[in-house]
Amino acid sequence: MKIDIQGSRLRRAVGAAVTTGAVIASGALYAAPAQAATAPSVVAKGGYVMNNATGKSLYTKAADTRRSTGSTTKIMTAKVVLAQKNLNLDAKVTIQMAYSDYIVKNNASSARLIVGDKVTVRQLLYGLMLPSGCDAAYALADKFGTGSTRAARVKSFIGKMNAEATKMGLKNTHFDSFDGIGKGSNYSTPRDLTKIASSAMKSSTFRSIVKTKKYTAKTVTKTGSTRTMAPWTNTNTLLSSYSGTIGVKTGSGPEAKYCLVFAATRNGKTVIGTVLASSSATQRETDAKKLLGYGFGKI
């Protein structure tokens, strides 16, 4: 019996040695460490990256922790607008004094829209996503909400934003504003924001807007003449500093700190992700570049 056991052990040992030899010969032992690149360290308190084609997670850091999102909220604003039935991007919206007053009161980022000008929905979307215009966000919420008063229409529009988040199954996202200037319950997570952005990027109009570095709108004045606006510059500096960048949106605020939802395509593969609560505009870009590089290394 002992001989049989020893023989069995010997056969297993020989088998293991042969197998190990085959693995060494094939180079498979060295393949795993090469693939397992060390996950980068980022300053942002939250981060998430995924393969845009498959939805597979590539990186997580407090990916499901709720945080203030600043103007990355506007991704959902644009998504809701673009989902409207029979949407006419060339429909004109008259800029109201309320939008201008709102900007002044909140010291908010602005598309510098002129009261009384008629601006198309398409132009408002550019004004929303490039210079991060809270005036453009207000105009869109007023236009696409329902109700007999401006307050009712805005509330309705924010309701549509939350309904969309619920429909997408995002349990850690809630909006109480159309632009990210929250009232205490405007939050999301790196994972949820990345999913919102990935969904929004299915719209060709959205994709065209968020990859645009500069846009000049020609609006119609009260007298019917044409006003050429000062060019809007995209606040997403990755478009110029990281090859293959195709979007998406910056955000910042006293509570949100510095946020960035980003996407890039290389060799036909798209990586999309989010960093929340980084320490500066420069640092959020550095964090995003690290995560993009790491993401591309994993797909």
Side-chain angles (χ1 to χ4, degrees), residues 66 162 165 170-175 187-189 192-193 196:
R66 296 174 178 181
N162 285 314
L170 308 179
K171 300 188 187 308
N172 291 308
T173 295
H174 184 267
F175 301 105
Y187 57 80
S188 190
T189 67
D192 281 7
L193 270 175
I196 293 168

Side-chain angles (χ1 to χ4, degrees), residues 51-285:
N51 179 336
N52 192 54
T54 64
K56 182 185 176 184
S57 299
L58 303 172
Y59 173 92
T60 62
K61 176 182 178 180
D64 300 306
T65 300
R66 296 174 178 181
R67 298 188 189 279
S68 176
T69 57
S71 285
T72 60
T73 296
K74 290 168 180 154
I75 297 170
M76 183 62 98
T77 308
K79 179 172 163 53
V80 168
V81 169
L82 289 166
Q84 297 304 299
K85 287 183 179 177
N86 304 314
L87 177 66
N88 178 7
L89 288 168
D90 297 316
K92 290 184 171 62
V93 177
T94 302
I95 304 306
Q96 306 294 320
M97 180 62 79
Y99 313 156
S100 180
D101 289 346
Y102 175 82
I103 294 295
V104 175
K105 178 186 174 186
N106 291 284
N107 191 27
S109 52
S110 169
R112 303 181 303 280
L113 299 171
I114 310 295
V115 176
D117 276 13
K118 288 182 171 61
V119 185
T120 67
V121 171
R122 188 192 311 275
Q123 290 167 338
L124 286 172
L125 286 166
Y126 275 94
L128 174 78
M129 300 303 287
L130 272 64
S132 200
C134 295
D135 45 358
Y138 197 164
L140 289 165
D142 193 5
K143 165 75 174 172
F144 292 102
T146 55
S148 57
T149 65
R150 183 172 291 118
R153 290 190 292 274
V154 167
K155 184 179 179 181
S156 160
F157 185 86
I158 295 168
K160 289 182 181 185
M161 294 169 69
N162 285 314
E164 183 60 26
T166 300
K167 182 180 166 186
M168 292 179 69
L170 308 179
K171 300 188 187 308
N172 291 308
T173 295
H174 184 267
F175 301 105
D176 68 6
S177 75
F178 48 74
D179 58 1
I181 301 177
K183 302 168 187 67
S185 58
N186 199 93
Y187 57 80
S188 190
T189 67
R191 190 190 306 269
D192 281 7
L193 270 175
T194 301
K195 288 181 177 180
I196 293 168
S198 179
S199 178
M201 290 289 271
K202 290 175 182 174
S203 160
S204 59
T205 301
F206 185 88
R207 288 198 305 274
S208 295
I209 291 168
V210 296
K211 73 178 182 184
T212 301
K213 294 179 186 177
K214 254 189 176 58
Y215 180 87
T216 302
K218 292 182 185 296
T219 63
V220 179
T221 68
K222 284 179 185 178
T223 60
S225 62
T226 300
R227 184 196 309 279
T228 302
M229 299 286 288
W232 291 325
T233 301
N234 201 319
T235 55
N236 182 9
T237 51
L238 276 179
L239 290 166
S240 298
S241 67
Y242 191 87
S243 175
T245 298
I246 55 173
V248 172
K249 184 75 186 72
T250 60
S252 61
E255 189 185 352
K257 304 306 180 190
Y258 293 87
C259 312
L260 181 57
V261 181
F262 51 86
T265 299
R266 288 185 174 180
N267 300 318
K269 294 178 179 179
T270 299
V271 168
I272 189 164
T274 299
V275 288
L276 294 181
S278 195
S279 58
S280 69
T282 303
Q283 188 60 51
R284 73 184 169 196
E285 183 179 330

